[in-house]
Amino acid sequence: MMAPTLENSTESPPSLATLAPIQAVLFDVDGTLCDSDPLHYYAFREMLLEIGYNGGVPVDEEWFIKTIAGKHNDDIASALFPDDQERGLKFCDEKEAMFRRLVKDQLKPIDGLYKVKKWIEDRGLKRAAVTNAPRLNAELMIEILGLKGFFDVIIIGSECERAKPYPDPYLKALELLKVSKDHTFIFEDSFSGITAGVAAEMPVVGLATRNPPHVLMEAKPAFLIKDYEDSKLWTALEEIDKKSGATTTRV
């Protein structure tokens, strides 16, 4: 999968400083902590090809972004097999098993992830992973990335009343962390995830990892970044530090 191009803007991003003092930072997992979408795409493409889906024509990236990216498996199953939900769920379970085999050797963190991790740790902020991925997937990816001890809690969409794009998973994270939405922000990479965060009334920093920036902007993130090295992000974090009275060194 080709990564989208995020045009550089000379405009300052909307400020996150109004959140100071920051209490927590919430992260999606797929595409936000790690560049996992190419592995999901490969697994779906190969498995759908095996069963002759789409007349035996391999699905393309545009189809993947529209139908799969960021969505919960219940919704994916319905999209793939609208007349046979049980078959769809079984297919998704088998695809997730294939993904877990692939991920063990091929998972890579988003650039700058460990820098933003240190920024959060140095300020003693609470943190949660909030994802529509199955728990087995989420925990495996977090462990491979060396983040097992980083998150205070892992919220799984299927374990909430409603998964993303509804706000329930993010609201559950606030509840378990005992923090306020007025002092928390989110990192997300999908239209579905950004929609959920905005519905939970928190600013969302969108990562244009694989999904087209114009699609992400329709969900109304605070601003978009290419990755965690992006200067727009560090400008925003410095503003938070200034308002909070914290000392920071530009990364």
Side-chain angles (χ1 to χ4, degrees):
M1 290 181 72
M2 293 289 292
T5 301
L6 185 60
E7 294 182 4
N8 291 324
S9 173
T10 56
E11 296 181 8
S12 297
S15 177
L16 298 178
T18 55
L19 300 172
I22 293 286
Q23 295 176 342
V25 183
L26 312 180
F27 290 82
D28 175 46
V29 177
D30 281 298
T32 300
L33 296 178
C34 50
D35 190 13
S36 52
D37 271 0
L39 303 181
H40 285 292
Y41 171 56
Y42 175 84
F44 271 111
R45 187 188 66 198
E46 295 305 303
M47 289 184 62
L48 288 171
L49 197 57
E50 283 182 11
I51 63 172
Y53 186 84
N54 195 36
V57 178
V59 297
D60 59 20
E61 293 179 26
E62 184 179 353
W63 175 91
F64 176 83
I65 290 168
K66 181 179 179 180
T67 311
I68 304 295
K71 293 184 171 64
H72 187 266
N73 275 351
D74 286 355
D75 299 320
I76 294 171
S78 296
L80 293 178
F81 303 100
D83 300 322
D84 195 341
Q85 180 78 353
E86 185 176 346
R87 182 189 181 193
L89 291 172
K90 184 175 185 295
F91 177 89
C92 287
D93 285 345
E94 292 171 352
K95 172 263 158 185
E96 299 300 0
M98 181 179 182
F99 171 79
R100 288 191 290 273
R101 291 193 296 272
L102 294 170
V103 86
K104 290 179 181 178
D105 299 318
Q106 302 183 47
L107 195 69
K108 294 181 180 180
I110 300 297
D111 288 347
L113 174 64
Y114 300 113
K115 290 182 181 180
V116 81
K117 171 181 179 285
K118 185 177 187 303
W119 185 90
I120 292 167
E121 289 175 327
D122 286 350
R123 286 148 187 80
L125 306 179
K126 294 183 178 181
R127 50 267 191 179
V130 184
T131 177
N132 271 353
R135 182 168 287 277
L136 281 176
N137 288 24
E139 291 180 345
L140 177 61
M141 287 185 281
I142 287 168
E143 183 174 1
I144 290 171
L145 293 168
L147 300 175
K148 191 173 181 179
F150 175 67
F151 291 109
D152 298 302
V153 65
I154 300 172
I155 306 295
I156 305 297
S158 62
E159 297 172 7
C160 301
E161 186 171 342
R162 300 176 299 179
K164 303 175 195 176
Y166 294 98
D168 304 40
Y170 280 115
L171 296 176
K172 186 175 181 180
L174 294 177
E175 180 184 355
L176 293 181
L177 293 177
K178 296 181 171 58
V179 295
S180 167
K181 65 179 176 61
D182 297 323
H183 299 285
T184 301
F185 71 93
I186 296 167
F187 287 111
E188 267 283 2
D189 78 300
S190 70
F191 180 88
S192 172
I194 295 171
T195 299
V198 170
E201 300 183 335
M202 285 176 279
V204 181
V205 178
L207 281 98
T209 312
R210 295 287 173 179
N211 293 311
H214 72 275
V215 172
L216 298 181
M217 288 304 298
E218 290 176 5
K220 298 182 170 39
F223 56 93
L224 293 182
I225 58 176
K226 179 183 177 182
D227 53 38
Y228 297 109
E229 300 276 10
D230 197 310
S231 62
K232 290 196 296 294
L233 172 63
W234 292 98
T235 296
L237 297 184
E238 282 184 359
E239 289 177 354
I240 291 172
D241 279 336
K242 286 176 184 175
K243 187 158 184 182
S244 302
T247 302
T248 185
T249 301
R250 186 165 183 99
V251 178

